[in-house]
Amino acid sequence: MSIIGVREYSNIGSIKGPLMVVQGISDAQYNELVEIELPNGERRTGLVIDAGMGSAIVQVFEGTSGISPSGVKARFLGRGLEVKVSEDMLGRIFDPLGTPLDGGPEIIYGERRNINGEPLNPAARQYPEEFIQTGISAIDGLNSLLRGQKLPIFSGSGLPVNQLAAQIARQATVRGEETNFAVVFGAIGVRYDEALFFRKFFEETGAINRVAFFLTFANEPPVKKILTPKTALTLAEYLAYEKDFHVLAILIDMTNYCEALREISASKEEIPGRQGYPGYMYTDLAQTYERAGIVKGKKGSITQMPILTMPNDDMTHPIPDLTGYITEGQIVLDRGLYNRGIYPPINVLMSLSRLAKDGIGEGKTRDDHKDVSNQLFASYARAIDLRGLAAIVGEDSLSEVDRKYLLFGELFERKFITQGVTENRPIEKTLDIGWEVLSELPESELTNIKLTYIKKYHPLYREKK
Amino acid sequence: MNEGKIVRVNGPLVVAEGMQNALMYEVVEVGEYRLIGEITRIEKDRAYIQVYEDTSGIKPGEMVYRTGSPLSIELGPGLLGRIFDGLERPLDGILELSKSPFIKRGVKVNSLDRHKKWYYKPIVKKGDTIEDNDILGTVQETELIEHKILVPPSVKGKIIDTVEEGNYTVDEPIATIDMNGDRKELYLMQKWPVRIPRPYSEKLEPTEPLLTGVRVTDTIFPMAKGGTAAIPGPFGSGKTVTLQSLSKWSEAKIVIYIGCGERGNEMTDTLTSFPKLKDPWTGKPLLERTILIANTSNMPVAAREASIYVGITMAEYFRDQGYDTLLVADSTSRWAEALRDLGGRMEEMPAEEGYPSYLASRLAEYYERAGRVRTLGKPPRYGSVTVASAVSPPGGDFTEPVTSTTLRFVRVFWPLDSSLAQARHYPAINWLQGYSAYVELVADWWSKNADPKWKEYREYMVKTLQREDELRQIVRLVGPESLAEKDKLVLDVARLIKEAFLKQNAYDDIDAFSTPQKQVRIMKLISLYGQKSQELVEKGISVKRMNEKITIVTDIIRSKATIKNDELEKYDELEKILLKQFEELSKEV
Ligand SMILES: Nc1ncnc2c1ncn2[C@@H]1O[C@H](COP(=O)(O)OP(=O)(O)OP(=O)(O)O)[C@@H](O)[C@H]1O
Ligand SMILES: [Mg+2]
């Protein structure tokens, strides 16, 4: 932004929802930061969202309740929404404006950065291809996560998503590499107990000094929720691209973010889109989710794991839908599996990792990985199909091969997907379990696997050796 | 040119006063940063400007500078192999200049390199009379593409001077003409306003298939050179992968790939993988025939709207040189959303789901720019623009405005199905709902060049799949075991069609690309299997017994990924074994 000093105005035209019209100003900058001082000395923050000749519309972060047009001072600060970021933020807790929430000192030495970030030049990106082992078979084996990927978890209310996220954060490693890693955690409009769960978890695992928390609670004003992931990712970018950290950015819960966005949009009387969410939600979310990846010539990276709750478990709801259209796949949790006592309750067929293809296979995980994964998908899909059929016509009216598929499906869920909350499976173990359950099927059904791998890994031939 | 003054900034919409005589769609530079914008509405001396870059920090009182010309792009040698943003600014150039991995605002870089010299061979001579779109000479731009240097549309005259064969930059004059008494210089480069279709002599019906190497899009729902296709589907169903396959393997001479409001990494993927891949038709690196336009989802929305026009103008320019070009746009839904966003800010009256009322006419105009044409200019030549676009319906609902409107304008429809995608049946094109108006038209080509029975095989497969669908309804009620043997056989053959032919793994080195010859070999085996097995089933052999005895089926399924395009003789072997196994089995009758 161009250099311009602080200007102060006290003529407030109208106040409506979170918006306040300041009269008399003719040089307000679009997206300029405004400090608002109430007669009682209270200070609030706002942003110029419409700059005109002689007036400017300011959106007040904390809301306008308690503001009356007289006696209010609006100071236009001549800069955008910036936060100081620094390595010292690791191990600490902040609100989205960078104010400490842990009783510790303010960040004094840091780089001021606009929290909206800038779009990464596609020509500057480096394509992700390093496999991250999460130790979770349903992810590593079938929907592998790569370093620099943005892979969300779609959950339903009450499903154990926090536990899964914590397990991933604890177990995730790039094998054979000691890394400079950090976790940036954006907790958006969460409940107090959720925030506490993660904090305790990181304390117990001794990782707390590598974690920076940005926190807004459920009862805070919507604009603060909107800022939370932006500030978190601003620090993530700083750590990754200036300080060589491999950052895992966890954002929880993006549903709260979207609801805040809807609330703000409604109060601005914008034309609502599907289910009341604003038409620009896709672009808005993209500006958050696209802040992940690897940059050529930089040592660090940002791997992003946003977490969201699907309202009514509905994946076509605008929040998961628009997210899926932006992220590089999704891990979907399933209530049916959860009710049957399966942890982690990952629905592998609805899940997807778009980048997996470039990070698995020979020289990366194991030569048979792609084939085994294709086969498990194909066979499990068939099993699920037949399970539905068997429920209607009875198992007896299925053919012998079909019945084998049913058994396979059951074993796949019990042995391959199911694992303990602290069980950390190496990828070889995951693939071996895959072979074990596949061997329930006749060999002629394994058409997705090359014969050489069958000879090399199929339990039948391994035993013979 | 007069300057104006900003009176309002509201996101990408800027209003300026003092803009007397400004033109609709004129490009202006906004504020101290000189951000690029375009005038989209004029009221007296007020101009409404859609700004293509982030307007944060811009304030009333700053100036708006007019340029006098509409949004235009540079066309000439130096486009191929490059990556541009939605306004044709080279992203590789911006990266170099800004020394930052992030895109800074207000960066000005020429679209075409002004320093690079191209070896130009003139064709025209002094004294020749030339007119619109004549070929002046040629530049071998890449190993693959000879760039024809064209007379810009509506330029005519007599050549009074032309340069010798040699090295020239795009802005050095290569010919001077006398145009109605005025001297006019011509260059390797020309400009064209993107919102106006480039002229041609005559539009023709497509006649040839646009081969893609993807079996289902070649055989079941074929595409034609100069045709239009839409590929709608929910997220993760395979739109991008299918469009990438098309841009990798299709037989087009020039491919323009527009990433319109999609992911950054997808552009990077193309940018890094294409130089390593070889065009299967010519064996040359793919990037040499490709132009990438990237306006990713996190880049300014207004430029997303422009990117589609930039891309199609480039496609027309290569068409005018006599090439078959393919334009791939991923995704037109993001483009439509940009229209909606900008329309909303201009306080226009919204129509369906908030989209502006002119959505349908914009889509129509876009698809109308596809087609096979006889170009203007000498020597006479033909070229085509084929358009294939992704559509991203919210919630996968095909009745929403962008999908349903698009369907009115395209002649090939490749609908993706989330249940197929979830079962990892790729490409997840629904074989019952899909559609192509070009089947008859390409059948001729196939029978001449691949197999005279192509159409017969195709119909057999399509009918079997339709019958399977009917039978599946019955199976859902009574189970598969209670079907008659001949119906069980239909399910069995349908499964073979899906596994051996329709499913195609875009990431398998061998399977990713199937030549027409390979496709017909597989089709022939399927049809042979269907015919022989039916004979035996009619004679009382059960399908179960057949599955036990005809074990070669597993190898037929595997063959798509084991038999390479240049070793099709291996299919003879499979065919022989298949016949032998049937003969064995027939002894049991
Ligand atoms: N032909 C194919 N072969 C193998 N895998 C495929 C194929 N088509 C799609 N896939 C798989 O499906 C995933 C999703 O495909 P793709 O990215 O093309 O979806 P999309 O429809 O473009 O989604 P979005 O709308 O979110 O961009 C791919 O990452 C890949 O794993
Ligand atoms: Mg896509």
Side-chain angles (χ1 to χ4, degrees), chain A residues 293-343:
Chain A
I294 313 178
V295 168
K296 277 184 204 154
K298 306 266 181 189
K299 292 204 189 89
S301 64
I302 302 176
T303 308
Q304 213 190 94
M305 184 165 280
I307 292 167
L308 60 84
T309 309
M310 297 181 279
N312 303 317
D313 294 350
D314 175 11
M315 201 155 113
T316 66
H317 182 281
I319 297 171
D321 189 51
L322 294 180
T323 299
Y325 269 124
I326 302 164
T327 52
E328 287 146 352
Q330 70 278 341
I331 303 294
V332 183
L333 303 192
D334 185 310
R335 197 169 300 279
L337 291 174
Y338 175 70
N339 288 343
R340 285 167 47 216
I342 291 170
Y343 176 88

Side-chain angles (χ1 to χ4, degrees), chain A residues 354, chain B residues 239-241 262-263 266 330:
Chain A
R354 299 169 193 246
Chain B
K239 297 178 290 295
T240 304
V241 174
E262 293 289 311
R263 301 171 183 83
E266 287 173 350
D330 187 8

Side-chain angles (χ1 to χ4, degrees), chain B residues 155-189:
Chain B
V155 170
K156 309 187 179 359
K158 195 173 193 149
I159 298 203
I160 44 184
D161 197 10
T162 167
V163 294
E164 300 280 304
E165 178 171 330
N167 288 306
Y168 301 93
T169 61
V170 289
D171 56 357
E172 284 174 278
I174 47 152
T176 311
I177 61 165
D178 176 356
M179 187 164 158
N180 307 325
D182 292 335
R183 282 173 71 90
K184 185 172 173 60
E185 290 182 326
L186 302 180
Y187 306 89
L188 292 180
M189 170 184 104

Side-chain angles (χ1 to χ4, degrees), chain B residues 34 43 91 110 130 158 463 574:
Chain B
R34 291 190 169 248
E43 282 171 9
L91 286 168
N110 287 318
I130 52 152
K158 195 173 193 149
K463 289 226 171 78
L574 285 184

Side-chain angles (χ1 to χ4, degrees), chain B residues 80 246-248 250 252-257 274 289-292 324-328:
Chain B
L80 296 170
L246 231 61
S247 48
K248 283 179 194 163
S250 85
K253 268 286 182 199
I254 304 279
V255 174
I256 294 156
Y257 190 108
F274 274 36
R289 64 165 200 188
T290 313
I291 304 170
L292 299 175
D324 290 316
T325 62
L326 168 68
L327 178 87
V328 156

Side-chain angles (χ1 to χ4, degrees), chain A residues 30-31 50-51 282 321 325 349 351, chain B residues 8-9 56-57 101 261 393 395 424:
Chain A
Y30 179 68
N31 269 343
D50 197 336
Y282 173 82
D321 189 51
Y325 269 124
L349 297 179
S351 303
Chain B
R8 184 178 173 202
V9 188
S56 293
R424 268 56 175 182

